[in-house]
Amino acid sequence: MIRTLLAVVLLLLPALAAARPGLFFAVTDPAGEPAAWVYATLPSAEPRIRRLPGAVERALEGADGLVVGVRPDGEARQRVAAASRLPPGEDLRDHLGLELFAGAARALEGSGLSRESMARLRPWAVALALATPAGVDPGRPVLPLIQRARRSGLPVRGLESAAERIAALSDLAMPDKVGLIAHLTDFRPELGAWQARLEAAWLERDVGAVARRHDELMAGADAAVAEAFREAVIARRSARMAARLERRLAAGRRPLVALHAVHVPAVLERLEAAGYTVTRAD
């Protein structure tokens, strides 16, 4: 369970979007030269989603590197593991109250996270556990590409650090964290159906629809909690990732970019606003 929790930290939640058909896109610069390729991934156990398309494999052969959300490595996982734990002597029950703690623990029964282990976690880590569908490995989609890139001697870069991903939730005010856990505890029975809707949107090859479906995670939440979540975890992170990719392309890099599908619409919109042309390549 902890390993899955660490993986989901490296993939947190991002941007709302309008319609954007496609899952794989070619980006050309204002002179018409290839600048990048962008592939929208989705954590899933569905074989059709996990299968790496041939067009993406071929694009990696023509790229000068691979860009992902956060480059997974052992050191990053160790930092996340350490950051997810409360300081010695603290107990999550003191932050949540006994009733909410008990409800969240019941919601996570069968996940592999015991009540005593949960009591030692920070609120943001418990929120991520509650938001992770059973059987879904958030780090799985980019691993085949990372392995191929390394075999080919291509550099693998991340658009965010693990610390930045953690901060997106950990920096929320405590009342917002508690409200988020309360909402996700109530939402947990619907999580499997929500994941199925995400997968259906991905299989329809509409990355904009995936982003809109992803926003359903906060449906029914307290308005203030939902606003704080979207601003910190969605809007700010999406803008940061898109800006960093734009700077990378401006420096002459020509990467294959593989990001969770909910990130992709905002990234493409930023590149188009900067004068790049985005065309569907799948």
Side-chain angles (χ1 to χ4, degrees):
M1 174 63 201
I2 292 296
R3 184 170 182 176
T4 299
L5 177 60
L6 302 188
V8 80
V9 173
L10 304 180
L11 284 165
L12 271 175
L13 315 164
L16 305 179
R20 172 75 76 166
L23 296 172
F24 185 48
F25 304 89
V27 180
T28 53
D29 64 21
E33 296 297 320
W37 296 265
V38 179
Y39 178 49
T41 68
L42 184 71
S44 172
E46 161 63 56
R48 291 174 295 173
I49 295 176
R50 295 179 62 166
R51 187 178 305 117
L52 194 61
V56 175
E57 294 178 323
R58 291 189 293 273
L60 184 61
E61 294 174 0
D64 63 8
L66 174 66
V67 170
V68 296
V70 172
R71 184 176 65 177
D73 56 52
E75 184 178 343
R77 291 185 183 276
Q78 291 172 4
R79 290 197 300 270
V80 170
S84 71
R85 301 188 191 99
L86 286 166
E90 285 195 34
D91 191 303
L92 183 63
R93 285 168 278 223
D94 296 330
H95 295 289
L96 301 187
L98 295 179
E99 183 177 353
L100 179 54
F101 179 90
R106 285 193 299 271
L108 288 170
E109 285 177 356
S111 69
L113 183 64
S114 71
R115 289 194 176 210
E116 288 309 308
S117 295
M118 177 177 149
R120 294 193 293 271
L121 292 178
R122 293 182 183 272
W124 64 262
V126 173
L128 287 173
L130 288 165
T132 304
V136 171
D137 177 0
R140 178 65 178 79
V142 297
L143 289 181
L145 282 168
I146 290 172
Q147 292 165 353
R148 289 172 184 269
R150 287 174 174 165
R151 285 199 299 268
S152 299
L154 295 174
V156 180
R157 308 296 185 197
L159 290 177
E160 288 185 311
S161 69
E164 287 172 328
R165 286 283 174 92
I166 292 169
L169 278 178
S170 66
D171 288 353
L172 289 173
M174 184 58 72
D176 292 327
K177 293 176 189 173
V178 173
L180 181 61
I181 289 174
H183 167 68
L184 292 172
T185 296
D186 291 340
F187 190 83
R188 181 77 179 181
E190 303 175 40
L191 200 63
W194 172 73
Q195 173 71 13
R197 292 193 296 272
L198 279 183
E199 293 176 353
W202 194 96
L203 290 169
E204 290 171 0
R205 313 191 74 77
D206 185 344
V207 71
V210 177
R212 294 193 301 277
R213 288 294 190 188
H214 201 282
D215 190 47
E216 294 174 5
L217 181 66
M218 295 304 294
D222 176 85
V225 171
E227 181 179 357
F229 174 85
R230 288 170 181 141
E231 174 63 23
V233 179
I234 299 176
R236 292 178 194 166
R237 289 188 55 250
S238 295
R240 178 170 64 217
M241 294 175 70
R244 287 176 178 172
L245 179 58
E246 183 185 345
R247 288 196 295 271
R248 191 174 291 275
L249 301 192
R253 306 299 185 200
R254 193 178 63 187
L256 170 65
V257 184
L259 298 175
H260 192 301
V262 289
H263 294 260
V264 169
V267 168
L268 297 182
E269 288 166 11
R270 170 80 181 232
L271 294 179
E272 288 174 328
Y276 292 90
T277 299
V278 175
T279 56
R280 186 172 174 177
D282 57 1

